Amino acid sequence: MAVKIRLKRMGKIRTPVYRVVVMDSRTKRDGRAIEEIGKYDPNQEPSFVDIDMERADYWVDNGAQPTEAVAALLRLYKEGTLKVAEPKKSKKEIYEAALAAAGSSSDDSAATTPRKKAAKKAEEPTAEEPTAEAADETPAADAPAADTDSGAAAAESTDADADKA
Protein backbone atom coordinates (compact mmCIF):
# COMPACT_ATOMS: atom_id res chain seq x y z
CA MET A 1 0.00 0.00 0.00
CA ALA A 2 1.41 3.43 -1.02
CA VAL A 3 0.87 5.95 1.79
CA LYS A 4 0.99 9.69 1.14
CA ILE A 5 0.89 12.77 3.32
CA ARG A 6 -1.34 15.21 1.50
CA LEU A 7 -3.91 17.96 1.88
CA LYS A 8 -7.60 17.20 2.40
CA ARG A 9 -9.75 20.10 1.19
CA MET A 10 -12.49 21.39 3.44
CA GLY A 11 -14.33 24.67 3.92
CA LYS A 12 -16.71 26.67 1.74
CA ILE A 13 -16.66 27.40 -1.95
CA ARG A 14 -13.76 29.78 -2.77
CA THR A 15 -12.58 29.72 0.87
CA PRO A 16 -10.65 26.48 1.24
CA VAL A 17 -9.27 25.19 4.52
CA TYR A 18 -7.02 22.15 4.39
CA ARG A 19 -6.11 19.36 6.77
CA VAL A 20 -2.74 17.68 6.50
CA VAL A 21 -3.57 13.96 6.47
CA VAL A 22 -1.95 10.58 5.98
CA MET A 23 -3.89 8.59 3.32
CA ASP A 24 -3.66 5.68 0.98
CA SER A 25 -2.68 7.12 -2.41
CA ARG A 26 -5.65 5.37 -4.10
CA THR A 27 -8.37 7.12 -2.05
CA LYS A 28 -10.25 10.22 -3.14
CA ARG A 29 -8.89 13.66 -2.32
CA ASP A 30 -11.49 14.21 0.40
CA GLY A 31 -11.85 10.55 1.30
CA ARG A 32 -11.20 8.70 4.52
CA ALA A 33 -7.81 9.43 6.08
CA ILE A 34 -5.59 7.13 8.14
CA GLU A 35 -4.61 10.01 10.42
CA GLU A 36 -4.95 13.79 10.54
CA ILE A 37 -1.68 15.41 11.56
CA GLY A 38 -2.25 19.11 10.95
CA LYS A 39 -4.19 22.07 9.60
CA TYR A 40 -3.48 24.69 6.93
CA ASP A 41 -5.53 27.82 6.24
CA PRO A 42 -4.20 29.95 3.34
CA ASN A 43 -7.00 32.54 3.73
CA GLN A 44 -5.58 34.11 6.88
CA GLU A 45 -2.83 36.73 6.79
CA PRO A 46 -0.26 35.28 7.44
CA SER A 47 -1.34 31.74 6.54
CA PHE A 48 -2.19 29.50 9.48
CA VAL A 49 -0.12 26.30 9.60
CA ASP A 50 -0.24 23.82 12.49
CA ILE A 51 1.41 20.43 11.97
CA ASP A 52 2.29 17.75 14.52
CA MET A 53 5.93 17.28 13.48
CA GLU A 54 6.42 14.15 15.61
CA ARG A 55 3.66 12.32 13.72
CA ALA A 56 4.86 13.69 10.36
CA ASP A 57 8.42 12.45 11.05
CA TYR A 58 7.03 9.08 12.16
CA TRP A 59 5.10 8.62 8.90
CA VAL A 60 8.01 9.82 6.73
CA ASP A 61 10.33 7.36 8.53
CA ASN A 62 7.84 4.56 7.80
CA GLY A 63 7.73 5.30 4.06
CA ALA A 64 4.95 7.86 3.58
CA GLN A 65 5.65 10.26 0.71
CA PRO A 66 4.61 13.92 1.21
CA THR A 67 3.13 15.71 -1.81
CA GLU A 68 4.84 18.87 -3.12
CA ALA A 69 2.52 21.22 -1.22
CA VAL A 70 2.92 19.30 2.05
CA ALA A 71 6.69 19.04 1.57
CA ALA A 72 6.85 22.85 1.24
CA LEU A 73 4.75 23.30 4.39
CA LEU A 74 6.90 20.82 6.32
CA ARG A 75 10.05 22.63 5.18
CA LEU A 76 8.67 26.01 6.32
CA TYR A 77 7.53 24.55 9.63
CA LYS A 78 10.88 22.86 10.36
CA GLU A 79 13.01 25.89 9.42
CA GLY A 80 10.96 28.21 11.58
CA THR A 81 10.60 30.77 8.76
CA LEU A 82 6.84 30.52 9.01
CA LYS A 83 5.22 33.92 9.62
CA VAL A 84 3.16 34.01 12.81
CA ALA A 85 0.26 36.36 13.34
CA GLU A 86 0.59 38.71 16.29
CA PRO A 87 -1.71 37.80 19.18
CA LYS A 88 -5.12 39.44 19.23
CA LYS A 89 -5.78 42.20 21.72
CA SER A 90 -8.43 41.58 24.32
CA LYS A 91 -11.65 43.54 24.12
CA LYS A 92 -10.73 45.39 27.30
CA GLU A 93 -7.42 46.58 25.80
CA ILE A 94 -9.20 47.77 22.64
CA TYR A 95 -11.78 49.62 24.75
CA GLU A 96 -9.14 51.32 26.89
CA ALA A 97 -7.20 52.36 23.78
CA ALA A 98 -10.37 53.90 22.32
CA LEU A 99 -10.99 55.81 25.55
CA ALA A 100 -7.43 57.10 25.58
CA ALA A 101 -7.78 58.23 21.97
CA ALA A 102 -11.00 60.05 22.83
CA GLY A 103 -9.30 61.82 25.71
CA SER A 104 -11.34 60.19 28.45
CA SER A 105 -10.37 57.93 31.31
CA SER A 106 -11.80 54.52 32.12
CA ASP A 107 -13.21 55.67 35.51
CA ASP A 108 -16.70 54.66 36.55
CA SER A 109 -17.55 58.37 36.93
CA ALA A 110 -17.50 58.72 33.14
CA ALA A 111 -20.87 56.98 32.82
CA THR A 112 -23.19 58.30 30.14
CA THR A 113 -26.28 58.26 32.35
CA PRO A 114 -26.38 60.19 35.64
CA ARG A 115 -26.67 58.31 38.90
CA LYS A 116 -29.77 58.69 41.01
CA LYS A 117 -29.28 60.93 44.03
CA ALA A 118 -32.64 60.54 45.78
CA ALA A 119 -31.10 60.05 49.23
CA LYS A 120 -28.91 63.15 48.99
CA LYS A 121 -31.80 65.39 47.85
CA ALA A 122 -33.65 64.81 51.13
CA GLU A 123 -30.58 65.66 53.24
CA GLU A 124 -29.17 68.70 51.40
CA PRO A 125 -31.16 71.92 50.77
CA THR A 126 -31.24 72.98 47.15
CA ALA A 127 -30.09 76.34 45.80
CA GLU A 128 -33.70 77.38 45.08
CA GLU A 129 -34.72 77.13 48.75
CA PRO A 130 -32.30 79.29 50.77
CA THR A 131 -31.96 78.64 54.48
CA ALA A 132 -33.36 81.07 57.08
CA GLU A 133 -29.92 82.49 57.87
CA ALA A 134 -29.12 83.14 54.22
CA ALA A 135 -32.50 84.86 53.72
CA ASP A 136 -31.85 87.26 56.59
CA GLU A 137 -28.34 88.16 55.49
CA THR A 138 -29.12 88.72 51.82
CA PRO A 139 -31.31 91.88 52.10
CA ALA A 140 -29.01 93.53 54.64
CA ALA A 141 -25.96 93.03 52.45
CA ASP A 142 -27.70 94.29 49.30
CA ALA A 143 -29.21 97.39 50.95
CA PRO A 144 -27.79 100.71 49.75
CA ALA A 145 -26.00 102.96 52.27
CA ALA A 146 -28.49 105.86 51.77
CA ASP A 147 -31.45 103.69 52.82
CA THR A 148 -30.67 103.34 56.51
CA ASP A 149 -34.26 102.71 57.64
CA SER A 150 -34.52 99.39 55.78
CA GLY A 151 -31.08 98.38 57.07
CA ALA A 152 -32.16 99.14 60.63
CA ALA A 153 -35.35 97.15 60.16
CA ALA A 154 -33.35 94.19 58.85
CA ALA A 155 -31.02 94.42 61.85
CA GLU A 156 -33.99 94.48 64.23
CA SER A 157 -35.52 91.41 62.56
CA THR A 158 -32.18 89.62 62.89
CA ASP A 159 -32.03 90.55 66.59
CA ALA A 160 -35.61 89.34 67.04
CA ASP A 161 -34.78 86.03 65.37
CA ALA A 162 -31.75 85.63 67.63
CA ASP A 163 -33.90 86.32 70.77
CA LYS A 164 -36.41 83.65 69.71
CA ALA A 165 -33.70 81.06 69.29
Side-chain angles (χ1 to χ4, degrees), residues 4-33:
K4 292 211 175 233
I5 302 175
R6 62 186 189 191
L7 298 175
K8 179 178 180 178
R9 190 181 197 277
M10 303 182 86
K12 299 178 183 178
I13 297 172
R14 289 183 280 290
T15 55
V17 177
Y18 298 97
R19 294 213 178 141
V20 181
V21 296
V22 178
M23 306 180 97
D24 181 12
S25 63
R26 297 171 286 188
T27 59
K28 297 186 286 183
R29 176 193 71 183
D30 299 336
R32 185 173 172 200

Side-chain angles (χ1 to χ4, degrees), residues 8-158:
K8 179 178 180 178
R9 190 181 197 277
M10 303 182 86
K12 299 178 183 178
I13 297 172
R14 289 183 280 290
T15 55
V17 177
Y18 298 97
R19 294 213 178 141
V20 181
V21 296
V22 178
M23 306 180 97
D24 181 12
S25 63
R26 297 171 286 188
T27 59
K28 297 186 286 183
R29 176 193 71 183
D30 299 336
R32 185 173 172 200
I34 299 171
E35 183 180 359
E36 293 181 2
I37 60 171
K39 298 175 185 175
Y40 170 56
D41 186 0
N43 300 316
Q44 295 181 12
E45 185 58 41
S47 297
F48 174 77
V49 179
D50 181 31
I51 300 173
D52 185 2
M53 289 307 294
E54 291 178 13
R55 295 305 297 167
D57 290 339
Y58 167 81
W59 282 105
V60 170
D61 291 342
N62 285 321
Q65 295 294 317
T67 61
E68 290 178 19
V70 173
L73 289 175
L74 291 174
R75 210 172 19 257
L76 283 175
Y77 206 78
K78 282 183 182 178
E79 293 173 359
T81 58
L82 187 66
K83 292 181 184 176
V84 180
E86 51 184 75
K88 291 184 178 180
K89 292 183 179 179
S90 69
K91 289 184 179 182
K92 184 175 180 180
E93 291 174 354
I94 294 170
Y95 174 73
E96 289 173 352
L99 282 179
S104 300
S105 64
S106 63
D107 295 341
D108 292 336
S109 63
T112 56
T113 56
R115 293 184 180 181
K116 295 182 180 179
K117 297 182 181 179
K120 288 189 177 182
K121 283 185 180 179
E123 295 174 7
E124 297 177 8
T126 60
E128 297 171 329
E129 302 172 13
T131 60
E133 295 173 52
D136 290 341
E137 294 173 8
T138 306
D142 293 336
D147 193 13
T148 56
D149 293 336
S150 63
E156 290 174 12
S157 66
T158 310

